[in-house]
Each structure stands twice: as C-alpha cells, then as structure tokens.
Amino acid sequence: MFRIREAIVVEGRYDKNTLAQMADTLILETGGFQLFKDPERMALLDRAARRRGLIVLTDSDGAGFVIRNRIKGMIPAQFLKHAYIPDMYGKERRKRKAGREGKLGVEGMPPDILEQALRRAGAVFLAGDSFPVGAVPPLVKADLFAAGLAGGVGSGERRSALLRRLDLPEHMSANALLAVLNGCYSRAEAEELLRHS
C-alpha cells in the first residue's frame, strides 16, 4: 500500500473499494451522474481539491469522460490532476456482461496499472509510516462518539447539523464524515469543528 497526498475522486463504490486496497488517501465518489444534480457533493470535491489537490480517476468510457469534464468545468485547473486508465476490454467479475463499450473500469484494473496511472498524473507519493515523527494522528471513530456525533442518542441529528454547517451531503455516514474531517482539515481544525458541533 502506498500513501498519496492528493485526494482521489472515482465514479462509484466499487472503484473506491479497489483503490482503497492499494492507496492510503481520501477517496471520494461522484455517484456517477448523481454528481450533476448534487451541489453538496461538488462542494465537497472542491473543498478537497483546494485543501490537498484532487486527482480525477474515472473510467475510460464515454460516461467517465462526461463526469471528468464536469469536474474539470467546476473546479479550477490548478487544483486538479487527471489520471487516465488504458482501454482494456473485458468485464468485471461482479458483472454478468461487459459494459456498453466493453471496457474495464477502474474497479477492473490491475493494481500496477492504477499505480502507473496515478504516477503519470503527477500524484505525490509519500514515503514512510502513516504518521511521520511529530505528526498528530488522525481523528478516530471514538472522537466522533465523544463529540456526540456517532453511536449515541441524538447523534444522527447532531451529525446532520454539522454536515449542513459544512455544506456536506446530508446522508453521509459517520465513517464518511470522519474521512472528510481527516482528509480536508488539520487535526486542530477538525477538533475545533467537533467542539462546536
């Protein structure tokens, strides 16, 4: 597994699962074309891009390029990097038949191909342990519990209020919120947000 400074945006959850097995970074989903009618999700992508940079990694079919171009049109170019997977034909294991264009998507790519695509895009690969010497570890689920945002009476309502305040999608789970807090904010900024939630 390797660590990358930038956040990565992919189309769906299977793409995210594939990438999460090899890359330690914030991985966000577009939800396919749902992105087009979800300003909160686009705001989240914009925030991640401005905070740490954003790598767009969509499928190589026509739909993937439509989604990529939408992101490119909404987020300033200086915050974006584009990773492209090659045209490889076949079908993913979980599917009964290949997609309309017959190409494998991100979820069907071998790990070495995905790593090459990220390197060609200019991803910043970080060396060493998950927490460099002197670095503060990220928030964990217990921090959300202590702030009353997970696992307790009324935690869902408090979490929803924080999500609204941060312009994040209202249906984000506690785990997704945790990933955003760790990926888009410093530990001190995230703790401040939790104190005022």
Side-chain angles (χ1 to χ4, degrees):
M1 181 169 283
F2 50 80
R3 294 171 55 231
I4 295 178
R5 182 182 67 203
E6 297 89 353
I8 302 173
V9 60
V10 295
E11 291 180 49
R13 71 175 181 219
Y14 293 106
D15 300 330
K16 180 178 180 177
N17 290 342
T18 297
L19 205 54
Q21 293 175 36
M22 56 183 289
D24 180 10
T25 190
L26 175 62
I27 303 170
L28 303 167
E29 302 170 40
T30 67
F33 290 117
Q34 292 175 1
L35 177 69
F36 290 26
K37 53 189 175 204
D38 190 345
E40 293 173 330
R41 193 178 305 243
M42 186 56 82
L44 173 58
L45 295 180
D46 185 63
R47 181 175 304 146
R50 291 173 189 275
R51 286 292 193 142
R52 58 190 293 173
L54 184 68
I55 299 173
V56 182
L57 179 61
T58 57
D59 294 349
S60 61
D61 59 5
F65 276 88
V66 169
I67 292 167
R68 179 184 298 276
N69 288 330
R70 177 63 171 227
I71 294 168
K72 193 188 308 187
M74 300 295 287
I75 297 175
Q78 70 262 31
F79 303 116
L80 288 178
K81 294 179 181 177
H82 292 274
Y84 296 93
I85 58 172
D87 287 341
M88 292 176 68
Y89 293 88
K91 72 169 194 67
E92 284 83 6
R93 280 186 239 170
R94 70 177 178 85
K95 295 181 178 177
R96 287 194 181 136
K97 60 180 186 170
R100 187 178 316 169
E101 295 180 33
K103 298 176 184 178
L104 289 174
V106 170
E107 75 172 278
M109 287 289 129
D112 61 321
I113 299 289
L114 291 173
E115 182 178 351
Q116 289 171 18
L118 292 169
R119 287 189 185 279
R120 279 194 306 270
V124 177
F125 284 74
L126 305 173
D129 297 332
S130 293
F131 305 111
V133 175
V136 179
L139 295 174
V140 294
K141 192 84 171 266
D143 294 311
L144 294 185
F145 182 78
L149 297 170
V153 177
S155 61
E157 293 80 19
R158 282 193 284 283
R159 189 170 60 250
S160 292
L162 177 60
L163 291 171
R164 279 191 302 275
R165 206 171 93 228
L166 297 177
D167 293 323
L168 294 172
E170 66 177 313
H171 297 295
M172 282 183 93
S173 67
N175 288 337
L177 173 61
L178 190 60
V180 169
L181 290 173
N182 284 325
C184 294
Y185 299 93
S186 70
R187 173 72 186 236
E189 291 170 328
E191 285 176 340
E192 186 68 18
L193 289 169
L194 293 184
R195 271 195 294 280
H196 295 95
S197 61

